[in-house]
Amino acid sequence: MTNANPWLTGPEQAPEPEPAPVAPTRRQARSGPTTPQPGVPTPDTADRLPRYAQAWPATIWWLGAHGGAGESTLAALAAGSRPAQHGWPIPDPPTVPSRVALVARTNWAGLTAAQRAATEWASGALGSAVELVGLVLIADGPGRLPKPLRELQQVISGGVPRTWNLPWVDAWRTAPFDPSAPVPKEFRALLADLNLSPSATAHN
């Protein structure tokens, strides 16, 4: 993990010679800053998510960066977790920070919404109210992402503690979500990485 600020890298900077690259492990490849980064400007008010005082605890808050991100589905899979209703869950009283995972789809609108939310966190505007654990990206359709979206995803992933990529599930498109049905291994790995237990109705 590096302390370099991924949000402030500009094209005018001359690249420095680097040693031959070493292929990162799966876990290393998804690592990024774990705290807000000095010098990141606070986004304009219009680009910030709302904030909601939350008096009850959650194992984790799934924060959809936009409508239809999939936070309700994740909340149904993980015991004790809650959807954050598209706003930062601010603890009340502010004794323990809210543990938050951003959630977005992998289309352009979803990725840019995730980028705005990640920038807001990285600027330090939330203070100590939020512990961001990472970004969950849920495929917006079957198949491989186009190159421009893959590149945008890579940029955003460099500014958050960790990124998880979850696949498209066609069954959830054509029928109501059933948490008792088997879920893809990537969803189970996400819960394991975050030390979350499956809900009573979730099927492994």
Side-chain angles (χ1 to χ4, degrees):
M1 185 180 300
T2 177
N3 291 324
N5 188 339
W7 302 105
L8 299 179
T9 301
E12 72 281 2
Q13 293 175 318
E16 296 180 359
E18 296 181 356
V22 178
T25 65
R26 180 171 176 266
R27 185 172 298 272
Q28 289 173 331
R30 295 180 298 176
S31 299
T34 58
T35 59
Q37 300 295 287
V40 176
T42 303
D44 292 337
T45 302
D47 291 331
R48 302 178 207 169
L49 291 174
R51 303 178 187 186
Y52 301 123
Q54 303 289 1
W56 54 83
T59 53
I60 199 163
W61 292 92
W62 306 107
L63 173 51
H66 57 91
E71 70 275 15
S72 296
T73 297
L74 293 173
L77 291 173
S81 68
R82 298 179 184 271
Q85 306 303 333
H86 311 296
W88 297 105
I90 305 302
D92 183 18
T95 51
V96 178
S98 296
R99 193 168 176 239
V100 175
L102 287 173
V103 185
R105 294 286 177 171
T106 54
N107 53 25
W108 182 88
L111 289 173
T112 53
Q115 186 175 38
R116 290 192 296 271
T119 302
E120 182 177 358
W121 166 78
S123 74
L126 299 166
S128 59
V130 167
E131 176 195 350
L132 186 68
V133 299
L135 170 65
V136 181
L137 293 174
I138 304 178
D140 67 304
R144 184 175 173 83
L145 278 181
K147 183 178 179 181
L149 294 181
R150 294 199 307 270
E151 292 174 346
L152 177 56
Q153 176 181 308
Q154 185 176 12
V155 170
I156 299 167
S157 296
V160 294
R162 188 166 178 187
T163 303
W164 294 266
N165 290 91
L166 303 185
W168 171 262
V169 182
D170 198 61
W172 296 350
R173 183 186 189 188
T174 57
F177 171 67
D178 180 5
S180 65
V183 297
K185 62 182 180 180
E186 291 88 350
F187 286 78
R188 300 195 302 271
L190 168 66
L191 300 191
D193 286 344
L194 294 175
N195 296 315
L196 300 174
S197 300
S199 67
T201 56
H203 180 73
N204 290 329

